Amino acid sequence: MTPLRNDTLLRALLCEPTDYTPIWLMRQAGRYLPEYNATRARAGSFLALAKSPALATEVTLQPLERFALDAAILFSDILTVPDAMGLGLSFTAGEGPRFERPLRDEAAIRALAAPDPGAELRYVLDAVREIRRALDGRVPLIGFSGSPYTLACYMVEGSGSADWRTVKTMLYARPDLLRRILEVNTRAVTDYLNAQIEAGAQAVMIFDTWGGSLGHRAYEQFSLAYMREVVAGLTKVNEGRRIPSIIFTKGGGQWLEAIASSGCDAVGLDWTTDAGQARRRVGDRVALQGNLDPLALFAPPDSVREEARRVLEGFGTAPGHVFNLGHGIAQQTPVESVAALVDEVLTYSKRMRQS
Ligand code: CP3
């Protein structure tokens, strides 16, 4: 493998000093980019795009051609894992994901099993290998998975939901059934992330998008406990380098200390948490990733630059900050805003280290 020419992201994730603050964006390859929409149209659908290693490689690299980003993130989706478990994933225009066979009865839950990533998810591992070849050492590749709980949300509910009533009813009425799903998911997520690492992912992120909808006790028992188990089971070193892990619970700011003690190397923050306070609460135990409000990108470039400086100053110059949005980039985001953001983070974070 070609040596990594820009390892700024990996060093920041391990709280090592860097010349500037590295930046990447959740959903950086997505519908705000016209070239993404063109490739997606050629593929025919989002799932066909995600299932073609060649096209997934093409869209993974698209944002890197436009912006000086410090990482690529595998183009895929968290829901490929339940799809591989046989739940039958589809995406309908304007409605988001849907499972044909959601987990609604005890028999289906007892029959659930973790997929073999080398078989059912082979197309993802092929994409990881192809992206690594195409990157040729430019920047590191981040692999990812949904958290056991966030995957369970979609698996039980069968689609997205405003209140997650079905899965939360199971949590309170039949916690034994939900635990059984979470145990299978923990095995599946651990195996899947380790297979991505083996195929060439140089850092991994766990998306716990819906952990923040849980009550205080339930978050610890039904989401964080299982993510802790995943992190403990991850391959720590590959190709002679440490593989950092990132946990991102959207809406999880109040549990920051607990997440920081889970064994992960970095914690993702959404925009509702103050950066300076977050840093004081976790000290130098973990790196922090975030946390610009994605909607700040809808203002003119000068305002984007000002907000970027505010986030950078909030985190300060101590090692261990990776710049990102507080959640995925929105579909209608102006491309010029992203260009202004990436430029400001590089120039201003360099200047902060010099003064
Ligand atoms: O960050 C990246 O650039 C990597 C690719 C990535 C996608 N989804 C591509 C995608 C990642 C890391 C995800 C994670 C994901 N997927 C999450 C967790 C993070 C989050 O955003 O909260 C969740 C909850 C999903 C499930 C999912 N996938 C939903 C709800 C949707 C529909 C959203 C919509 O606006 O229609 C998707 C589809 C999806 N995944 C798209 C992309 C680029 C848009 C699909 C399209 O091109 O039509």
Side-chain angles (χ1 to χ4, degrees):
M1 273 296 174
T2 328
L4 197 50
R5 292 194 292 279
N6 174 357
D7 66 355
T8 317
L9 172 91
L10 299 184
R11 284 191 285 122
L13 287 173
L14 296 173
C15 290
E16 294 168 13
T18 56
D19 300 337
Y20 63 94
T21 303
I23 176 170
W24 70 277
L25 306 172
M26 289 188 263
R27 293 266 173 106
Q28 63 189 24
R31 289 169 295 189
Y32 74 105
L33 286 177
E35 58 272 31
Y36 169 84
N37 293 319
T39 309
R40 185 180 182 280
R42 258 201 292 141
S45 70
F46 168 70
L47 267 186
L49 176 56
K51 289 187 176 182
S52 155
L55 295 180
T57 300
E58 188 178 305
V59 296
T60 298
L61 268 68
Q62 284 171 347
L64 303 178
E65 300 300 330
R66 275 188 190 257
F67 317 115
L69 295 161
D70 294 290
I73 178 157
L74 164 69
F75 186 82
S76 188
D77 198 85
I78 62 166
L79 301 180
T80 54
V81 169
D83 186 46
M85 290 168 163
L87 274 65
L89 176 64
S90 64
F91 283 87
T92 40
E95 275 187 57
R98 189 162 294 278
F99 284 110
E100 210 176 304
R101 291 171 291 279
L103 297 174
R104 289 291 169 81
D105 58 75
E106 196 155 343
I109 293 168
R110 299 273 167 234
L112 190 72
D116 171 3
E120 287 101 329
L121 292 160
R122 170 81 186 259
Y123 64 91
V124 179
L125 307 180
D126 287 341
V128 170
R129 284 184 279 262
E130 195 163 335
I131 295 164
R132 276 296 301 274
R133 271 197 298 277
L135 282 171
D136 196 30
R138 228 159 110 178
V139 290
L141 174 63
I142 303 168
F144 69 87
S145 171
S147 71
Y149 180 72
T150 291
L151 293 179
C153 283
Y154 289 95
M155 293 162 74
V156 172
E157 209 75 38
S159 66
S161 166
D163 58 5
W164 302 101
R165 184 156 52 90
T166 319
V167 67
K168 287 180 117 182
T169 301
M170 185 182 287
L171 186 154
Y172 291 111
R174 289 297 306 270
D176 59 312
L177 290 184
L178 184 57
R179 287 196 179 286
R180 155 87 190 141
I181 298 172
L182 292 169
E183 280 158 19
V184 175
N185 286 359
T186 297
R187 175 84 269 140
V189 167
T190 308
D191 291 350
Y192 183 50
L193 287 174
N194 282 337
Q196 290 181 37
I197 292 168
E198 171 78 16
Q202 291 149 297
V204 291
M205 174 149 162
I206 301 171
F207 285 87
D208 186 31
T209 309
W210 301 114
S213 67
L214 289 169
H216 183 76
R217 247 168 67 87
Y219 175 71
E220 163 59 37
Q221 295 178 349
F222 291 89
S223 187
L224 186 58
Y226 294 94
M227 292 197 283
R228 206 181 280 130
E229 206 178 316
V230 170
V231 169
L234 290 177
T235 302
K236 297 291 181 291
V237 176
N238 195 41
E239 299 174 53
R241 268 193 101 122
R242 170 134 182 130
I243 309 291
S245 59
I246 311 161
I247 289 186
F248 172 56
T249 294
K250 184 165 173 280
Q254 70 272 43
W255 303 307
L256 188 53
E257 291 85 351
I259 303 170
S261 306
S262 67
C264 65
D265 298 289
V267 180
L269 298 176
D270 72 22
W271 62 92
T272 62
T273 298
D274 178 77
Q277 284 178 19
R279 179 45 77 204
R280 283 190 291 280
R281 284 166 61 192
V282 301
D284 57 6
R285 260 189 299 165
V286 288
L288 295 170
Q289 174 173 282
N291 71 342
L292 183 72
D293 182 348
L295 276 300
L297 295 174
F298 286 80
D302 281 348
S303 316
V304 171
R305 289 181 185 271
E306 198 180 316
E307 290 295 329
R309 291 196 293 272
R310 218 170 268 151
V311 170
L312 286 167
E313 281 175 354
F315 284 100
T317 50
H321 177 215
V322 172
F323 200 103
N324 207 315
L325 304 177
H327 197 206
I329 189 165
Q331 185 178 354
Q332 316 298 346
T333 302
V335 172
E336 315 81 74
S337 291
V338 180
L341 173 67
V342 175
D343 178 66
E344 191 65 28
V345 169
L346 175 65
T347 52
Y348 195 74
S349 68
K350 264 190 183 159
R351 205 183 318 150
M352 276 169 67
R353 282 163 175 77
Q354 281 150 11
S355 57

